[in-house]
Amino acid sequence: MPELPEVETVRRSLLPHVGGRRITAVEVHRPQVVRGGHSPQALMRGLVVTGIDRRGKHLLISAGPQSPCICVHLGMTGSLRFCPPGAGPGRGDHVHVRWRFGNHGHMEFRDPRRFGGVWSFNTPEAAMRARWSSLGPDALIIRPRDLHSRLTRTGRGLKAALLDQSVVAGLGNIYADELLFALRLHPQHPANRLSAAQVQQMVYAMRRLLARAIAARGSSVRDYHDAEGNHGSYAALHQVYGRGGQPCTSCGAALQRQTIAGRTTVFCRQCQQLC
DNA sequence: CCTTAATCCTGGAAGC
DNA sequence: TGCTTCCAGGATTAAG
């Protein structure tokens, strides 16, 4: 459930702690969550972290263009947390990988359900080729013309198309539902029946929605937290996600809850009609 | 081309 | 209280 705003919040809260720091040791407690080499060298031991990039829900932690790097995907329940020295021990269960920064603290990847993972690569270029090339443009920077051409290629419903990371990268179940409500569009509205003007409105609404969610440091449903262990406050601003049966904030009708595109979907039957 | 379902997995909630 | 059952879903794969 970490989606673009949550992953971006993790990126921003992690970078100040690990940027410029050298990884002095790597512990792999569950090798299955690491794809690619899981030796300490492959997982960046000895390297100074120089950057963290993000595309959609994917993170790339790197140490320069010619050095090994790691990709992290948080899946459903994954978290990437920085623990400063002297901090009390948090939950140690389901911590699969730990990176130590000498006496400056450590970073840990924890993921109870293990839908996420860590991927090691020899260079950022190889990582992007393997992990990012099949992703559509990031939802924060996609251009209206680009999204329009991608949506008009498919007759699927909007919800299915927006969840498809090869169309646009970063939306998950929460923000797809919130976006469709903001636009008053039915989740099953055929993607290829949106006008260019409607797609332009969609891009603007998407940027506004995601920017506001990032400003609130993401949505904490269940136990999501950022790299410093802080929760996000955007869940309190959800208009539809998690509110099935409750009144629509716009018209007061009971919100409809229905499985669409294989996902629990909440929308307003009055405000988001299929026409 | 499309959709649905199964798969991975655990914790929390609901039901009895 | 304590057990069982269900449900949540990101991504991938297979089947229809």
Side-chain angles (χ1 to χ4, degrees), chain A residues 61-72:
Chain A
I61 302 176
S62 57
Q66 301 301 327
S67 296
C69 62
I70 53 174
C71 288
V72 177

Side-chain angles (χ1 to χ4, degrees), chain A residues 114-227:
Chain A
R114 307 209 289 274
F115 284 11
V118 175
W119 288 257
S120 64
F121 293 96
N122 290 329
T123 64
E125 188 186 356
M128 292 190 203
R129 191 168 57 238
R131 299 283 308 160
W132 290 9
S133 60
S134 61
L135 294 176
D138 186 81
L140 271 181
I141 61 177
I142 193 169
R143 291 171 171 277
R145 216 171 297 175
D146 196 358
L147 184 59
H148 187 243
S149 74
R150 287 163 179 275
L151 287 179
T152 48
R153 280 203 276 268
T154 176
R156 302 143 89 195
L158 281 173
K159 169 102 184 214
L162 291 172
L163 287 177
D164 185 341
Q165 303 296 298
S166 71
V167 172
V168 54
L171 299 178
N173 210 32
I174 296 174
Y175 297 102
D177 278 9
E178 294 297 321
L179 177 63
L180 291 171
F181 175 76
L183 293 162
R184 306 296 191 260
L185 287 168
H186 193 283
Q188 289 169 309
H189 186 98
N192 57 12
R193 272 194 232 148
L194 285 187
S195 67
Q198 281 178 302
V199 174
Q200 186 172 63
Q201 288 309 306
M202 174 176 280
V203 168
Y204 294 158
M206 189 160 64
R207 288 179 191 161
R208 188 166 61 234
L209 170 69
L210 297 174
R212 286 178 177 171
I214 292 169
R217 303 178 71 87
S219 302
S220 283
V221 304
R222 292 186 189 83
D223 60 353
Y224 159 80
H225 57 75
D226 69 10

